[in-house]
Amino acid sequence: MTPDGHSELGAIVLAGGRSTRMGTPKALLDWHGAPLVRRVTGLLARVASPVVVVHAAGQELPSLPGVELVVDEHPGRGPLEGIAAGMRALRGRCDAAFVSSVDVPLLHPRFVRSVAGALNGHDVALPVADGHNHPLSAAYRISLLEVVERLLAEDRLRPAFLFDESSVRRLENGEIDEPGSLRNLNTPEDYAAALAEPEPQIEVEAFGTLRERLGFSRTTVPAATVGHAVERLDGLAELLPHTLVALNGERFHADPQTPLVAGDRLSVLTAEAGG
Amino acid sequence: MSTIGGGFGRYLRVDLDRGVAEPVSIPDGVRRAFIGGAGLGAWLLTSAETAGEPVAFVFSPLVGTPLTTSAKFAVVARSPLTGLLNDALASSHFALQGKMTGHDAIVLVGTAPEPSVVVIDADGTSLEPAGDLWGLPAAEAEQRLRDRLGKGYRAAAIGPAGEALVPFATVSHDGRHAGRGGHGAVLGSKNVKAVAVRGRMRVPLADPDRVMELAADLRTRSFGPATEKYRELGTLANLLAFNALNTLPTRNFQAASFEDAAALSAEQAADLKQRTRHYCASCTIGCGHIYEAGNGNGARLEYENAFALGPLCGVGDPAAVIEASRRCDELGIDTISAGGTIAFAMECAERGLLDAPWLRFGSGEALLRALDEIGSGEGIGPLLRMGSRRLAQQLGGDAPSFAPHVKGMELPGYEPRTLQSMAVGLAVNARGADHNRSGAYEADFSQRVDRLHGGSASVAAAIDTEDNAALIDSMILCKFLRGVFTDARIEWATLLNAVTGCNYDAEELGEVAERIVTTKKLFNVSHGWTPDTDTLPDRFLDEPLETAAGTTVTLPRERLAAMVREYNLRRGWDEQGYPQVEAKDLVPA
């Protein structure tokens, strides 16, 4: 991000879909300790800023720290309307946006980084799996907004129309990191299968006096959220709030719904940092 | 007669030129407005009666009470390292005995005609020859003075570096140092080897029963989880955690994590080499951890000396770092400035800017030789004695861009690019780059700010922690207690009220803090401060930091400048940082 707040990559999460086949709002489905919309926005925030959630008017959403909310004024007209609403919010603030659906519990920040990294002069970086485009796991230049708005005015609502009029870099499975990120949930059966997936293994390192208190210096726990990691480390919950939990050596996270992915490292240390 | 408890309403002005001393009254309004310690010291240095390059040993209302960690004093003078106002604190029996001489401060002005010891006791003040002590380490000089004067005396002394006017020499007592900013050189320039005190006065308390009650409560809380880190491992516990967080300055701030951090960590050192723990006078925490130097000598190892003499110089051998700490103590030099200057010189030598092929990052032998040359003044000692700012000016080229200082004071062990609230605090603080006057890292180590991008929340944190430091350094309590307070300013007002009877509330303490910060700034404005010095070295603003986690962190020049501007405006100063008041307006009628 530049000093004036301009960033290379923002993110747009389309959360306002009708979830017809699922039968219940997908944004609120829990996946191992956090609603999907919390999980997806939290993971995107690691690699993109700002993160915008486009939702339907009146739609119930959980607390989403640091996330901007935008109403889709034309619900029911497909993803291009949501993309346009998100791009309007991001215009002038970033060069490109990763657009994501809300139903991707296995999303990994490395996947987002590799897709966005493939833009490289193109208008769209579009993952393709088994012959299918994945327009809601793709990166778009914000400069496409004019084209998107024209297509909407012409009632040409499918993303394929946008791809016809832009420079698209198609990404096959082997070209992107963490392709499992593409797995989305449309039916209760899909959701049940995703819930049956194990939580990611998280490496945890304790420092200082906490090593003795917690009985380890390094360990691993299965945890999809910081909250689950804390619960599964015997004795840690009682030591809060004199304890800090840092994710990957960067930010501190007290929100138990902060999402975790495979390869993450948590550092647990005493809160008193002085010296 | 003063109506405020916790002190005597006067300071002792010692004229070294004439060898005379006289008490000078301190108006109650001043004591209420500045409390004591660093605050009262700032006022004393702007007072007309203290002309003559004063150095003030300032006590505080809580000294001499049973409140834990209160046996502290502030040494306040113009720093030879920065040319600006400097206050350095230490904890020891010197604070207790000094205050019990019946003075709220001892101010030395002028220069003694020969090496001397200032002796202050119930019989008065005298200058005694110190020729036999000249050249001795401070601890040895202290011991000889106690042998000579009697056990009741306590002395704050300088080591050989102070005598040699090294601008980062310390004043020490009981092995504790008023360490930063070179007050040892100030005393050396006055021909003062030591100040020895013995007092018999009792500290008047506004509400003695309430003080006892509060002291018992504070003592109990001082045994709790908020101080566990300091008790069990000491501040050295920071090292390994900071390494994991990419905030451990390494090889003159070229990296923020160190491959040999584990070898220097408290977690490992505690098992291997710890000899004993040390408690300051009147302290129930006991944060001092003494380690074996390998030659029968022990040395205190804290985070700041371990970072500065270890990772900052690329040295991962604990024996070398412990021995380097011991030699710094013996010479009487600030470990942060010593390590910072040597690390800078190592980089200069590696870049061919300094002709010292033996001086290389990672060499414990080179580190110890550099310290010895600072002590002896031989070899490159005269260059290292300058500190990093003046050395960079002398070497020229691009050396100033990576000299690790703000306003001449070497940076402490907090990487500013990954702690961007702290970056603001380091840039703006009156005494230069220092972690004890600006504790904004506290906010960085929390969810309250974005430590990698700064912003308004970081500015607010810089102000809040600077104000809290001004208060706690004026009361005075140890900062390691701060975690036990749930609503600090309300609780601090309660403590002060029981001792002084002043009826402070949190709001008034906020005003006191602002007054102290502004008084320091006004002193600096009249002693050469310019707005362009409220920044960080170019390295932090121009060079991205690659972290061990594989991310790149930057602190763009414009971002820091914007935060400094916001800091100034929030302080009520103009956007460049000039206060819009005069010192005389800051003391209530």
Side-chain angles (χ1 to χ4, degrees):
Chain A
M1 194 185 287
T2 57
D4 62 0
H6 192 89
S7 76
E8 288 181 12
L9 186 69
I12 298 168
V13 178
L14 305 184
R18 290 176 174 165
S19 307
T20 314
R21 280 185 286 165
M22 187 65 75
T24 183
K26 290 199 273 190
L28 298 181
L29 288 177
D30 179 272
W31 193 74
H32 295 310
L36 283 176
V37 66
R38 172 72 182 90
R39 177 169 183 82
V40 170
T41 54
L43 294 173
L44 287 172
R46 294 196 198 178
V47 290
S49 175
V51 175
V52 172
V53 168
V54 181
H55 63 97
Q59 180 181 351
E60 182 190 347
L61 288 172
S63 166
L64 299 171
V67 169
E68 298 178 22
L69 301 180
V70 172
V71 173
D72 182 352
E73 302 288 356
H74 304 283
R77 275 173 45 96
L80 275 191
E81 282 287 0
I83 291 173
M87 283 183 168
R88 282 185 212 109
L90 294 177
R91 185 165 42 186
R93 300 164 69 191
C94 50
D95 300 329
F98 184 86
V99 172
S100 180
S101 57
V102 76
D103 58 350
V104 281
L106 302 182
L107 179 68
H108 199 294
R110 276 202 295 270
F111 167 80
V112 178
R113 225 181 264 129
S114 69
V115 171
L119 265 176
N120 205 17
H122 297 277
D123 294 324
V124 181
L126 179 66
V128 180
D130 303 326
H132 296 291
N133 290 340
H134 285 264
L136 299 189
S137 291
Y140 300 78
R141 294 224 172 266
I142 301 293
S143 55
L144 286 175
L145 177 58
E146 276 182 34
V147 182
V148 175
E149 288 184 325
R150 179 169 50 75
L151 292 171
L152 289 170
E154 295 166 359
D155 278 336
R156 299 165 71 202
L157 304 181
R158 288 169 38 222
F161 292 125
L162 176 63
F163 302 148
D164 289 343
E165 299 198 24
S166 52
S167 154
V168 179
R169 169 80 167 89
R170 285 186 161 74
L171 300 164
E172 300 293 338
N173 254 355
E175 295 183 90
I176 37 179
D177 297 334
E178 308 287 349
S181 297
L182 289 168
R183 177 168 162 183
N184 63 343
L185 316 178
N186 289 313
T187 64
E189 292 72 30
D190 293 342
Y191 177 46
L195 280 178
E197 293 285 344
E199 296 185 57
Q201 288 291 324
I202 307 302
E203 186 187 333
V204 186
E205 188 172 13
F207 294 94
T209 54
L210 292 173
R211 286 190 173 180
E212 201 163 311
R213 292 269 195 145
L214 298 171
F216 68 87
S217 52
R218 281 175 193 272
T219 189
T220 55
V221 287
T225 62
V226 167
H228 277 191
V230 169
E231 281 170 25
R232 287 160 193 172
L233 293 165
D234 279 349
L236 179 55
E238 301 87 80
L239 295 176
L240 303 172
H242 290 287
T243 304
L244 293 171
V245 178
L247 175 57
N248 296 330
E250 293 191 348
R251 291 177 177 82
F252 296 96
H253 293 281
D255 180 354
Q257 292 192 338
T258 301
L260 300 176
V261 294
D264 277 345
R265 177 172 55 87
L266 292 179
S267 305
V268 184
L269 55 146
T270 50
E272 283 68 39
Chain B
M1 185 65 188
S2 173
T3 58
I4 296 181
F8 303 95
R10 61 179 178 245
Y11 68 90
L12 184 69
R13 181 181 183 280
V14 182
D15 184 334
L16 298 167
D17 291 318
R18 296 193 296 134
V20 296
E22 59 176 352
V24 181
S25 70
I26 305 172
D28 280 357
V30 168
R31 291 178 62 204
R32 181 173 186 128
F34 291 92
I35 301 179
L40 183 59
W43 177 81
L44 283 167
L45 256 68
T46 56
S47 161
E49 282 90 4
T50 57
E53 289 295 321
V55 54
F57 294 79
V58 194
F59 312 113
S60 68
L62 305 190
V63 177
T65 71
L67 291 161
T68 184
T69 79
S70 64
K72 296 175 81 78
F73 63 104
V75 187
V76 188
R78 188 178 179 196
S79 161
L81 193 63
T82 67
L84 304 173
L85 185 115
N86 186 55
D87 45 27
L89 274 60
S91 310
S92 77
H93 290 280
F94 178 88
L96 298 169
Q97 291 298 321
K99 181 164 173 185
M100 289 193 293
T101 64
H103 303 98
D104 298 335
I106 297 164
V107 183
L108 311 182
V109 299
T111 306
E114 61 176 340
S116 303
V117 177
V118 179
V119 181
I120 302 165
D121 57 23
D123 297 329
T125 304
S126 60
L127 286 187
E128 298 191 4
D132 60 321
L133 305 177
W134 212 249
L136 293 179
E140 208 172 321
E142 278 176 43
Q143 188 54 50
R144 288 213 200 171
L145 274 171
R146 293 188 74 187
D147 292 345
R148 185 197 302 175
L149 297 169
K151 281 189 176 172
Y153 287 83
R154 300 286 180 161
I158 63 172
E163 297 165 14
L165 308 184
V166 175
F168 46 91
T170 66
V171 177
S172 66
H173 176 245
D174 273 356
R176 304 298 294 160
H177 297 260
R180 304 226 67 194
H183 288 327
V186 177
L187 284 188
S189 72
K190 293 178 176 301
N191 268 334
V192 172
K193 177 70 179 177
V195 178
V197 291
R198 187 180 68 176
R200 290 185 177 164
M201 303 278 281
R202 291 177 67 88
V203 178
L205 301 176
D207 186 346
D209 292 341
R210 180 73 173 135
V211 172
M212 293 302 291
E213 191 183 315
L214 291 168
D217 173 55
L218 197 58
R219 188 183 314 117
T220 303
R221 284 195 276 165
S222 77
F223 298 134
T227 58
E228 181 180 81
K229 178 184 102 171
Y230 302 111
R231 283 197 310 273
E232 299 301 323
L233 293 173
T235 60
L236 187 57
N238 288 348
L239 196 136
L240 203 54
F242 281 22
N243 191 56
L245 300 173
N246 299 300
T247 63
L248 177 64
T250 298
R251 295 185 188 83
N252 193 32
F253 292 90
Q254 294 182 86
S257 56
F258 183 49
E259 62 278 10
D260 291 331
L264 296 173
S265 68
E267 289 87 339
Q268 211 163 97
D271 291 340
L272 295 177
K273 292 176 183 295
Q274 184 170 344
R275 282 170 49 163
T276 184
R277 275 172 67 196
H278 176 85
Y279 290 75
C280 292
S282 304
C283 174
T284 48
I285 299 175
C287 71
H289 293 256
I290 312 296
Y291 292 87
E292 174 62 51
N295 50 5
N297 294 310
R300 182 187 309 274
L301 206 49
E302 299 177 355
Y303 171 65
E304 290 296 341
N305 55 348
F307 121 81
L309 301 166
L312 197 63
C313 294
V315 175
D317 172 10
V321 175
I322 294 169
E323 174 59 15
S325 293
R326 193 192 65 77
R327 291 191 196 183
C328 287
D329 280 350
E330 197 169 82
L331 291 169
I333 52 176
D334 171 25
T335 51
I336 301 176
S337 282
T341 303
I342 292 170
F344 169 64
M346 285 173 163
E347 187 171 350
C348 289
E350 292 196 351
R351 288 175 174 229
L353 292 164
L354 175 66
D355 183 18
W358 54 272
L359 190 61
R360 289 290 180 268
F361 283 120
S363 167
E365 200 179 325
L367 169 68
L368 296 175
R369 177 174 165 184
L371 287 169
D372 287 345
E373 293 192 358
I374 289 174
S376 67
E378 293 169 358
I380 62 168
L383 294 173
L384 297 175
R385 283 179 170 187
M386 293 176 174
S388 62
R389 176 170 66 175
R390 270 172 245 172
L391 176 55
Q393 288 162 350
Q394 168 109 357
L395 296 176
D398 64 347
S401 70
F402 59 91
H405 73 89
V406 175
K407 302 180 178 72
M409 182 175 278
E410 283 69 25
L411 276 91
Y414 299 82
E415 164 57 54
R417 283 165 291 193
T418 51
L419 297 167
Q420 298 199 1
S421 306
M422 190 59 181
V424 186
L426 293 171
V428 300
N429 193 260
R431 85 164 177 173
D434 181 72
H435 60 296
N436 278 319
R437 302 296 169 272
S438 180
Y441 57 81
E442 280 177 29
D444 287 317
F445 291 124
S446 77
Q447 275 198 300
R448 302 202 302 275
V449 300
D450 180 347
R451 71 181 176 104
L452 303 183
H453 295 98
S456 287
S458 289
V459 176
I463 290 174
D464 190 50
T465 56
E466 189 176 53
D467 283 353
N468 279 345
L471 289 171
I472 205 163
D473 289 344
S474 299
M475 296 199 304
I476 304 172
L477 284 175
C478 178
K479 293 195 178 76
F480 296 167
L481 260 189
R482 67 194 185 285
V484 312
F485 299 109
T486 47
D487 198 333
R489 291 191 192 171
I490 291 174
E491 293 184 60
W492 295 347
T494 302
L495 297 177
L496 282 170
N497 292 341
V499 172
T500 65
C502 276
N503 276 327
Y504 288 110
D505 57 21
E507 189 183 356
E508 183 175 352
L509 288 186
E511 292 164 6
V512 169
E514 285 180 25
R515 183 180 299 120
I516 292 168
V517 171
T518 301
T519 301
K520 292 181 186 182
K521 186 60 177 279
L522 286 168
F523 179 96
N524 284 354
V525 168
S526 63
H527 287 81
W529 170 87
T530 51
D532 61 314
T533 60
D534 278 3
T535 187
L536 292 171
D538 289 345
R539 159 156 289 164
F540 301 108
L541 308 176
D542 296 338
E543 293 179 19
L545 178 72
E546 308 295 335
T547 72
T551 53
T552 302
V553 182
T554 60
L555 173 52
R557 194 174 292 276
E558 300 81 0
R559 183 187 300 156
L560 180 64
M563 289 195 288
V564 169
R565 198 159 48 243
E566 185 176 342
Y567 167 91
N568 289 331
L569 293 172
R570 284 193 186 206
R571 281 264 177 235
W573 305 343
D574 76 7
E575 67 173 19
Q576 287 196 297
Y578 290 97
Q580 303 300 292
V581 292
E582 294 181 32
K584 64 179 171 54
D585 301 328
L586 291 171
V587 184

